[in-house]
Amino acid sequence: MAASSDSKNVQRIGFLLVRNFALMSYASATEPLRAANLLAGRPLYQIVPLAPGGGTVASSSGLSVGCADMESEGESCHTVFVCAGGEPTDWADTSASHTTLRRLSRLGIRIGGISSGAFVLAAAGLLDNRDFTIHWEHAPALKEAFPHLNPRHARFVLDGGIATCGGGVAPLDMMHAMIAERLGTDFARRVSDWYLHAAVAEPAAPQRGSAAERFGTNHPALLAVLEKMETAIERPLDRTAMARLAGVSPRHLDRLFREHRGTGFLDTYREIRLRHARRLLQQSPLSIPEIAYATGFSSPAHFSNAFKRLFSQTPGSLRRRSGS
């Protein structure tokens, strides 16, 4: 890691703020550092907002943060996190930072990604052969753009010189781990208690509610099928294969969908694939035909018709509104 910034061993933690970054994610990452300073009665951490060339960067809520120049200040940081929000057009604007991020990484500075910040790290080539995570909503776009990468469904991942988390309140958990790493678990617990953060999650804890919560059912056979539907998108499995997976007959599987979901097997599967397609339309650079085939549709026309029936707009109109 990079050397401490002064004789008092204050760690400078940089945050490269990408336009429209999520304010909750930023606060969840920075506030534990501020609390650590207060509880210790001396400066342990210095928070350094960064941007290429300095200036101010606006969050998704409109609040702007004044930033130091990343090129000149980044080298003095112990860790630099890329804090990004949910707009792919904003991620594209970070290309000028890739060279700097790679240089800082070579200097031994820990590089991190918060929320969709891991997408920026992937584009900079810093996640090859690394263990990492990203906000669940952005995982499909990342996997389509970088097929060789496989983000974990975890709240946060610390992999040596790379630290990533899913955003939202997950940085509270990641910062607890990083503070404990440096100052011990007892002190980290005091920081978490300061924010009433009594239930500190483990790194591998899920980012989303369970499948039972998302789908509103606890039936084990039905849950097995629904979870498989979420992963078998490009090459959908037929009813017979799914029934075999769940250990029931196809006819019984149909009854489970009617009784617990109020809809059929095919309609449910199609909706899951279309919602996945909608995320790709909003976040990925894939063309509409590529998205159609990536979500298991036989043709762009078939995809467009199904999409319009569910969302009352065509894929093209959504793409134009999203500016992707």
Side-chain angles (χ1 to χ4, degrees):
M1 299 299 169
S4 302
S5 62
D6 58 33
S7 60
K8 294 182 180 180
N9 198 29
V10 176
Q11 283 189 358
R12 285 166 55 89
I13 309 298
F15 293 86
L16 172 59
L17 301 182
V18 178
R19 184 182 63 189
N20 292 321
F21 66 94
L23 195 59
M24 176 177 280
S25 298
Y26 178 59
S28 295
T30 56
E31 282 297 287
L33 304 178
R34 183 182 69 86
N37 292 340
L38 288 172
L39 291 171
R42 62 185 177 89
L44 297 171
Y45 298 100
Q46 181 181 359
I47 298 164
V48 187
L50 299 169
T56 61
V57 179
S59 69
S60 58
S61 64
L63 181 67
S64 293
V65 176
C67 298
D69 176 34
M70 180 182 174
E71 184 68 28
S72 60
E73 296 296 324
E75 288 189 18
S76 65
C77 291
H78 173 278
T79 301
V80 172
F81 287 103
V82 179
C83 191
E87 293 296 329
T89 51
D90 298 327
W91 309 340
D93 290 346
T94 64
S95 57
S97 301
H98 296 169
T99 300
T100 303
L101 288 170
R102 288 192 292 267
R103 178 173 61 81
L104 296 179
S105 180
R106 288 194 298 270
L107 290 173
I109 295 168
R110 178 182 260 177
I111 304 296
I114 295 173
S115 192
S116 60
F119 195 101
V120 178
L121 302 190
L126 293 173
L127 295 183
D128 291 359
N129 302 311
R130 302 307 295 254
D131 194 14
F132 73 98
T133 190
I134 191 171
H135 190 289
W136 64 266
E137 186 180 20
H138 309 310
L142 185 142
K143 288 191 283 190
E144 291 293 343
F146 308 101
H148 64 293
L149 299 180
N150 188 30
R152 286 176 54 194
H153 299 292
R155 290 179 73 83
F156 69 94
V157 176
L158 302 180
D159 182 16
I162 297 292
T164 52
C165 77
V169 297
L172 288 172
D173 302 313
M174 180 174 67
M175 288 305 177
H176 178 95
M178 292 179 66
I179 291 170
E181 181 180 76
R182 181 187 181 199
L183 300 165
T185 55
D186 289 344
F187 185 80
R189 167 49 64 191
R190 290 176 60 200
V191 172
S192 293
D193 286 347
W194 183 272
Y195 291 107
L196 312 186
H197 185 209
V200 179
E202 293 296 319
Q207 293 185 14
R208 307 172 68 187
S210 67
E213 293 172 313
R214 296 200 306 277
F215 293 111
T217 180
N218 288 299
H219 195 287
L222 189 56
L223 283 175
V225 171
L226 289 167
E227 289 179 322
K228 187 63 176 178
M229 284 178 171
E230 289 186 315
T231 59
I233 296 288
E234 185 171 358
R235 294 180 177 83
L237 300 177
D238 61 25
R239 182 188 284 99
T240 301
M242 286 291 200
R244 188 181 304 115
L245 172 73
V248 299
S249 69
R251 182 175 297 180
H252 184 56
L253 184 61
D254 287 337
R255 283 199 300 271
L256 290 175
F257 271 92
R258 287 196 303 270
E259 293 171 6
H260 293 267
R261 297 281 300 161
T263 186
F265 172 90
L266 291 177
D267 289 339
T268 299
Y269 207 169
R270 186 184 303 112
E271 180 177 345
I272 288 172
R273 289 157 50 213
L274 287 169
R275 292 192 182 280
H276 182 84
R278 184 171 62 176
R279 288 193 290 272
L280 292 178
L281 284 164
Q282 293 170 323
Q283 299 176 5
S284 82
L286 296 178
S287 68
I288 290 175
E290 287 172 329
I291 291 173
Y293 296 124
T295 50
F297 288 89
S298 58
S299 70
H302 181 205
F303 166 61
S304 183
N305 290 335
F307 192 93
K308 187 175 182 180
R309 282 196 299 271
L310 181 61
F311 298 117
S312 300
Q313 62 180 326
T314 65
S317 63
L318 176 63
R319 169 63 55 91
R320 287 189 292 274
R321 284 178 55 197
S322 301
S324 301

